Amino acid sequence: KEMVNHPEHYKFGKNNEYEAIKVIDAWGLDKDFYLGNAVKYLSRAGKKDNVVQDLKKAIWYIEKKIEKLQND
């Protein structure tokens, strides 16, 4: 199992044609730690760890982004 370069748990879509890092880059989220990580955890939800845990991590990053925006 490839765990470093293009691991399966970060691929999604009908034929795994999307990869979290490529989507993050394409959407310009490589410059936004919080939103990039939210996308990462959403894309792998249920594939590596517990689905609820991955979704809670995504929510945590989104809430941190909202908090940061409200404080700026």
Side-chain angles (χ1 to χ4, degrees), residues 12-69:
F12 55 99
K14 189 173 182 178
N15 298 310
N16 282 338
E17 67 267 31
Y18 303 107
E19 188 173 3
I21 191 70
K22 291 179 181 178
V23 171
I24 289 166
D25 286 344
W27 291 353
L29 299 178
D30 55 318
K31 298 164 188 68
D32 191 315
F33 179 78
Y34 301 107
L35 295 182
N37 273 298
V39 169
K40 176 183 80 170
Y41 283 109
L42 287 172
S43 72
R44 77 171 218 186
K47 294 180 182 175
K48 184 175 181 188
D49 293 324
N50 179 286
V51 65
V52 172
Q53 182 182 24
D54 284 339
L55 294 173
K56 285 183 177 183
K57 287 178 183 179
I59 290 168
W60 187 87
Y61 280 107
I62 292 167
E63 287 175 341
K64 285 298 197 186
K65 177 64 177 186
I66 291 168
E67 187 179 304
K68 184 171 173 38
L69 289 169

